[in-house]
Amino acid sequence: RANVDTDQIIPKQFLKSIRRTGFGESLFFDWRYLENGSPDPAFELNAPHLKGATILVTRNNFGCGSSREHAVWAVVQYGFRVVIAPSRAQESSRIPAFADIFRNNSVKNGLLLVELSESDVENIFQQAIRNKGLKATVDLPRQQVTLNLASPVSFHFDIDAGVKDYLMKGLDDIGQTMQHLDEILAFEKKHDAQMPNRQ
């Protein structure tokens, strides 16, 4: 599906909690469940062979809509470690694989977003249809997605070097700042926090 917005990822009625946990069971709630609360057998993620999946493949502009960080929490807490989507050229513009705010929130929560070409993503969808229960490996150091077929098929992806480092080291914003602790302490020794700098 294309243009999956954050209200579909985690509907607004589940945003009342003051905790940052428990959102996974409500991921794609309106699509996953019927009105009586039972799982909708027609929804992709309810297929028995997809239980426990850790890689989500979607179409372009995933995570558009409001800026709620809960959307990323729901994706991660459901069990996904990676989301793969394509960008799409449209006349003189480009439809992104992921909405910007969703992308930023994903980095901060350790969720890897992989952007591939439309043809690569279509290939993955077709292979998943033909090979029920298809397994894949996402190798961040090598920046490669591999479909674990009899003859493996691989796709290279680009990623910002800073984001890659952030994810490889399992950092959050504070951890990233603490990598510069020596420079911070040296700066603080030279500057009186109570006095503004004067030329």
Side-chain angles (χ1 to χ4, degrees), residues 29-183:
F29 185 86
D30 293 338
W31 293 339
R32 279 174 66 196
Y33 300 103
L34 299 170
E35 287 187 14
N36 64 8
S38 63
D40 183 348
F43 183 58
E44 297 91 331
L45 294 186
N46 290 334
H49 69 280
L50 295 179
K51 187 173 183 180
T54 58
I55 302 171
L56 175 64
V57 185
T58 184
R59 300 290 184 185
N60 54 277
N61 205 25
F62 186 81
C64 57
S66 66
S67 61
R68 63 189 73 163
E69 193 172 8
H70 306 71
V72 176
W73 297 344
V75 171
V76 171
Q77 290 168 21
Y78 179 85
F80 288 116
R81 305 279 308 279
V82 180
V83 183
I84 298 172
S87 60
R88 180 180 182 188
Q90 185 173 5
E91 296 176 3
S92 60
S93 63
R94 176 181 161 275
I95 299 173
F98 304 98
D100 283 341
I101 295 174
F102 183 86
R103 182 186 295 277
N104 292 335
N105 286 337
S106 293
V107 172
K108 292 179 181 182
N109 286 278
L111 178 65
L112 174 61
L113 302 184
V114 171
E115 182 173 333
L116 297 175
S117 68
E118 280 197 294
S119 60
D120 286 348
V121 171
E122 185 57 37
N123 191 346
I124 292 171
F125 276 122
Q126 293 306 316
Q127 292 289 358
I129 291 168
R130 288 195 293 270
N131 300 277
K132 195 172 182 179
L134 173 68
K135 296 192 182 301
T137 302
V138 179
D139 187 329
L140 178 55
R142 295 175 62 197
Q143 297 175 212
Q144 186 170 280
V145 176
T146 301
L147 305 184
N148 301 327
L149 299 163
S151 296
V153 177
S154 295
F155 310 94
H156 176 80
F157 62 90
D158 294 320
I159 187 170
D160 178 87
V163 170
K164 180 178 179 179
D165 183 65
Y166 193 96
L167 293 172
M168 292 280 295
K169 292 178 178 174
L171 298 172
D172 58 15
D173 286 346
I174 294 172
Q176 191 173 40
T177 300
M178 293 304 288
Q179 291 187 111
H180 305 282
L181 182 60
D182 290 342
E183 297 98 310

Side-chain angles (χ1 to χ4, degrees), residues 184 187-197:
I184 292 168
F187 175 86
E188 289 179 345
K189 283 181 181 176
K190 294 179 182 177
H191 293 81
D192 184 342
Q194 303 299 316
M195 298 291 291
N197 273 339

